[in-house]
Amino acid sequence: DFTQPKWNAATKAFMTKGDSIYGMRPETGEPRTGVFFNKRMLEEAGIDPESLYDMQKDGTWTWEAFEELCKKITRDTNNDGVIDVYAMCSFGVHFLGAALASNGACFVDIDENGKYYNATGSDAFLEAANWAVEMLRNYEYPQPEGTEWNYFEASFQNGAAAMQVHQDYYASTLNANMEDDYGFVMFPKGPRMDTYVNVW
């Protein structure tokens, strides 16, 4: 009986096709992917960490604002021609998924006739994918040689990069392993969206 409050209505709607229901979930939904940030590293780059919360609150936390922060943070502090402070260190899957959703894009969509189609050629998808690739190319801490696939987690915890796109459950790991104070905001909204979008 899907009228019972224990069933997640969003999951039911998402998993319904015509008169058939193909999936259900007895737990409530929760926001997941966002941007963790190292407050000390932002301050060292001349950025007030509280400004991220302010931008999120007033609706100006956008791709453009995010990239401006990345430009300020990513720098060569000893003038040897090598970047030694990086803005980001994220799992590419988390970053790309958040970027796509934040611009209203998806891999598969439904047309006006109720038919599923490959949406990877849409303007929103291509815009988000290209932006994500450029962000990773310009501001991402490179994987050190010989490290495991999840190097990005220890790298953020140790201050190798100032921001990390990750899911909110990761806070418990940071609480146990990170000395610096950190904050968390939603992923910034893309140019095709009027509000923020959370990815599960």
Side-chain angles (χ1 to χ4, degrees), residues 59 61 101-103 186-190 192-198:
W61 181 228
S102 73
N103 205 38
M186 298 177 73
F187 195 86
K189 59 186 174 182
R192 297 175 185 268
M193 297 295 286
D194 296 323
T195 190
Y196 306 104
V197 177
N198 261 323

Side-chain angles (χ1 to χ4, degrees), residues 82-161:
V82 178
I83 298 297
D84 43 51
V85 178
Y86 285 87
M88 303 189 311
C89 189
S90 304
F91 190 23
V93 171
H94 290 158
F95 191 89
L96 178 60
L100 292 171
S102 73
N103 205 38
C106 53
F107 287 90
V108 177
D109 209 343
I110 303 175
D111 65 20
E112 62 276 5
N113 299 314
K115 300 292 184 181
Y116 293 97
Y117 69 94
N118 180 349
T120 60
S122 70
D123 291 342
F125 188 101
L126 295 174
E127 183 178 35
N130 287 325
W131 177 78
V133 168
E134 283 302 304
M135 290 292 289
L136 295 172
R137 178 180 293 136
N138 293 327
Y139 308 112
E140 182 80 356
Y141 176 69
Q143 181 173 1
E145 188 174 339
T147 57
E148 297 294 330
W149 69 271
N150 60 344
Y151 75 96
F152 54 89
E153 293 185 339
S155 297
F156 177 71
Q157 293 167 30
N158 297 332

Side-chain angles (χ1 to χ4, degrees), residues 8-53:
N8 186 308
T11 300
K12 175 180 174 287
F14 181 72
M15 298 299 292
T16 297
K17 176 72 172 169
D19 295 328
S20 301
I21 300 172
Y22 294 92
M24 73 284 283
R25 177 185 170 102
E27 297 94 7
T28 58
E30 59 183 287
R32 283 289 182 96
T33 305
V35 181
F36 287 94
F37 56 92
N38 183 313
K39 293 185 177 183
R40 173 188 60 81
M41 294 184 71
L42 264 62
E43 289 171 348
E44 290 175 353
I47 300 164
D48 177 6
E50 298 302 311
S51 67
L52 277 71
Y53 297 120

